[in-house]
């Protein structure tokens, strides 16, 4: 036995932006990340970009994950990136998932979203990618 | 600027980073805390405890609004459980606290295997928020059972949140959580049986009698969902704090808290040092495998290891 003085845990924010009532996907992802040993701060529905960014900073998360099924991703995701930059927190990577058309993915990534997980993505893909992002931040 | 200096200026990222360092047991956290210590002691720490689903988070949200309106800087530490199987967890207390305000800081902590309804980092996290200038610090424990009472070691005012239909009056006679409240709440007071729960609790406090020489814990009806009874609750919290300050309860508790804190730090330091020594000289592995094989009982084994340490 080694004395455990504490252990670094991956902390992830999972949030739903705007007027979008569909949270099953977000909950499934939250649970999958928790099952992979991460601490997942789940905010629930109807968050504004300000709420999301404030929460991410207060909770000192390693990754922000946004679920959007409302079609408003081209507004919310860049807005979140902008606010993070304003608060000197743009070192926190942002990923997104939900109903996001393929043709928007390129533009969102160009804006600074690290990865998009459209419908059909597996939990394993998301978990591995979050671990990878975390590792990159440590190096 | 050092991290501690940034915390003293109320910089949110520094506060958040330091709390993470504390949670992760990073050694330089202690150096920062040493610099912050002299700036602590100004916050009123309020503990909210009760069963899962009793309404602690919703009530915390009401307390936040009330204290923000009064002009206070408010911090919340919300504790949720970690899984014993994976070490992970979904921390969802913030769902009930959808507020953004420059005077508000909310942090979720996972228990990370710590028992008692709190996190091991709780004491140090309170110190950071206190030094950062938060005047009211609300701690929400995990949903507790009967014996998660450690909150009383950290909070100056303990509020126990009950709901109607929590069982018959025998439940209120039991030791544990029903002894630690400075204030008792019956939340969801619009449900049937609320009055019976109130009267059970009042009877209980009459049997127990006044605490600390003269404080009769009040029993209040609250509906956290719509804010009914919240101003009265805040008034009682402040009233008890004043009572406890003037009656010497807080300074008495301070000594107990100091001993508790020192004991925890000392235990950890001594154990770390001892284990390091025993692992280096191989005695730890040797003794463990003897016990595992049944050649040695654990009690003799521990005595033997203690002797090795003294040599």
């Amino acid at each position: 036995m080694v004395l455990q003085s504490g252990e670094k845990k991956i902390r992830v924010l999972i949030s739903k932006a705007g007027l979008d009532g569909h949270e099953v996907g977000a909950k499934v992802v939250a649970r999958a990340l928790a099952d992979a040993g991460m601490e997942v701060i789940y905010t629930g529905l109807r968050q504004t970009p300000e709420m999301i960014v404030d929460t991410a900073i207060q909770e000192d998360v390693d990754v922000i994950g946004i679920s959007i099924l409302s079609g408003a991703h081209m507004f919310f995701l860049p807005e979140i990136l902008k606010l993070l930059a304003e608060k000197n927190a743009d070192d926190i990577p942002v990923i997104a998932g939900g109903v996001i058309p393929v043709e928007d993915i390129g533009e969102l990534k160009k804006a600074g979203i690290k990865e998009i997980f459209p419908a059909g993505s597996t939990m394993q893909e998301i978990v591995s990618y979050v671990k990878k992002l975390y590792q990159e931040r440590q190096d | 600027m050092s991290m501690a200096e940034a915390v003293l200026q109320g910089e949110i990222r520094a506060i958040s980073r330091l709390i993470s360092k504390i949670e992760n047991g990073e050694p330089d956290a202690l150096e920062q805390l040493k610099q912050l210590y002299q700036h602590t002691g100004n916050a009123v720490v309020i503990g909210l405890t009760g069963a899962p689903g009793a309404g602690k988070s919703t009530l915390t949200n009401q307390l936040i609004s009330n204290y923000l309106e009064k002009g206070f800087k408010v911090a919340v530490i919300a504790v949720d459980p970690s899984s014993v199987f994976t070490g992970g967890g979904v921390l969802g207390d913030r769902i009930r606290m959808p507020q953004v305000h420059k005077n508000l800081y909310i942090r979720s902590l996972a228990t990370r295997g710590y028992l008692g309804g709190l996190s091991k980092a709780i004491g140090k996290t309170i110190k950071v928020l206190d030094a950062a200038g938060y005047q009211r610090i609300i701690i929400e424990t995990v949903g507790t059972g009967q014996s998660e009472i450690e909150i009383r070691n950290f909070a100056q005012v303990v509020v126990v949140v009950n709901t109607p239909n929590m069982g018959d009056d025998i439940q209120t006679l039991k030791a544990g959580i029903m002894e630690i409240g400075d204030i008792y709440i019956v939340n969801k007071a619009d449900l049937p049986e609320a009055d019976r729960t109130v009267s059970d609790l009042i009877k209980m406090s009459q049997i127990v009698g006044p605490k600390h020489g003269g404080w009769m814990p009040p029993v209040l009806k609250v509906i956290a969902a719509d804010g009914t009874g919240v101003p009265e609750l805040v008034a009682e919290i402040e009233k008890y704090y004043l009572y406890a300050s003037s009656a010497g309860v807080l300074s008495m508790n301070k000594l107990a808290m100091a001993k508790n804190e020192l004991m925890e730090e000392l235990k950890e330091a001594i154990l770390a040092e001892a284990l390091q020594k025993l692992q280096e000289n191989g005695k730890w592995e040797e003794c463990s495998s003897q016990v595992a094989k049944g050649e040695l009982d654990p009690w003799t084994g521990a005595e033997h290891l203690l002797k090795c340490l003294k040599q």
Side-chain angles (χ1 to χ4, degrees), chain B residues 62-292:
Chain B
Q62 294 286 359
L63 292 180
I64 292 170
S65 305
N66 197 293
Y67 278 123
L68 286 177
E69 266 170 40
K70 290 189 162 74
F72 287 107
K73 281 189 81 179
V74 184
V76 174
I77 308 169
V79 189
D80 260 337
S82 301
S83 161
V84 287
F85 301 109
T86 66
V90 175
L91 315 181
D93 288 327
R94 289 187 84 109
I95 295 173
R96 318 279 177 214
M97 310 171 199
Q99 303 207 40
V100 172
H101 195 287
K102 64 177 178 17
N103 289 338
L104 172 64
Y105 180 89
I106 304 175
R107 177 69 177 229
S108 315
L109 296 183
T111 54
R112 298 195 182 183
Y114 190 79
L115 300 175
L118 294 171
S119 146
K120 187 171 164 232
I122 197 89
K124 297 188 181 88
T125 301
I126 293 169
K127 295 278 192 298
V128 173
L129 296 170
D130 187 348
Y134 290 94
Q135 297 150 307
R136 293 291 179 275
I137 301 175
I138 304 168
I139 306 173
E140 182 190 335
T141 71
V142 303
T144 51
Q146 290 175 319
S147 63
E148 286 95 341
I149 58 168
E150 225 191 293
I151 184 69
R152 62 192 284 276
N153 293 334
F154 296 99
Q156 291 152 336
V157 185
V158 175
V159 179
V160 177
V161 184
N162 301 280
T163 50
N165 265 327
M166 58 181 204
D168 65 12
D169 56 347
I170 297 301
Q171 296 305 328
T172 64
L173 290 174
K174 291 184 182 175
I177 197 158
M178 297 312 295
E179 297 175 303
I180 63 166
D182 302 310
I183 297 165
Y184 291 90
I185 295 295
V186 177
N187 188 28
K188 311 187 189 184
D190 50 335
L191 293 179
E193 301 285 315
D195 288 328
R196 212 202 74 203
T197 306
V198 169
S199 86
D200 285 349
L201 285 166
I202 291 173
K203 266 186 267 168
M204 180 268 308
S205 47
Q206 283 166 347
I207 293 168
V208 176
K211 293 174 76 170
H212 316 303
W215 177 262
M216 201 63 179
V219 180
L220 304 176
K221 281 209 265 187
V222 171
I223 305 172
D226 68 9
T228 305
V230 172
E232 291 81 359
L233 170 59
V234 171
E236 286 294 334
I237 289 171
E238 298 297 316
K239 197 170 134 194
Y240 175 73
Y241 181 75
L242 284 179
Y243 168 80
S245 316
S246 62
V249 180
L250 292 183
S251 44
M252 216 166 67
N253 287 355
K254 259 185 197 161
L255 184 61
M257 284 185 197
K259 283 183 178 168
N260 186 46
E261 251 177 335
L262 275 175
M263 180 76 82
E264 289 305 315
E265 293 302 319
L266 201 58
K267 254 198 254 177
E268 200 164 303
I270 292 173
L271 190 60
E273 205 181 300
L275 275 176
Q276 196 192 357
K277 198 171 160 192
L278 291 170
Q279 279 167 342
E280 274 168 16
N281 65 18
K283 293 284 179 199
W284 176 253
E285 280 306 314
E286 186 189 316
C287 216
S288 302
S289 56
Q290 279 175 334
V291 174

Side-chain angles (χ1 to χ4, degrees), chain A:
Chain A
M1 187 196 93
V2 193
L3 184 74
Q4 295 210 329
S5 64
E7 189 192 343
K8 175 72 183 136
K9 289 267 175 214
I10 304 177
R11 286 170 71 86
V12 187
L13 173 65
I14 296 292
S15 194
K16 295 276 314 175
L19 290 174
D20 174 357
H22 307 279
E23 65 174 336
V24 174
K27 282 178 173 167
V28 171
V29 170
R31 183 63 209 225
L33 295 170
D35 285 346
M38 302 178 200
E39 288 178 359
V40 182
I41 291 86
Y42 184 62
T43 63
L45 299 167
R46 291 185 284 277
Q47 303 286 303
T48 64
E50 289 79 10
M51 289 160 93
I52 290 168
V53 169
D54 265 24
T55 299
I57 293 172
Q58 292 176 2
E59 299 285 358
D60 192 32
V61 296
D62 301 295
V63 179
I64 299 171
I66 306 294
S67 158
I68 302 190
L69 293 84
S70 66
H73 47 273
M74 294 311 275
F75 166 72
F76 279 113
L77 296 174
E79 186 66 17
I80 289 166
L81 292 171
K82 194 185 99 195
L83 280 176
L84 281 170
E86 277 174 23
K87 303 208 168 183
N88 289 321
D90 48 356
D91 55 299
I92 308 174
V94 181
I95 59 176
V99 181
I100 296 174
V102 188
E103 53 268 33
D104 289 343
I105 291 180
E107 198 175 326
L108 287 171
K109 281 190 161 180
K110 218 164 90 188
I113 301 295
K114 291 284 176 192
E115 193 55 270
I116 306 283
F117 294 91
S121 306
T122 66
M123 289 307 122
Q124 192 48 50
E125 283 166 357
I126 298 173
V127 168
S128 310
Y129 191 75
V130 169
K131 283 184 178 165
K132 190 181 129 218
L133 279 178
Y134 171 77
Q135 212 47 55
E136 282 170 9
R137 276 190 99 208
Q138 302 303 301
D139 299 338

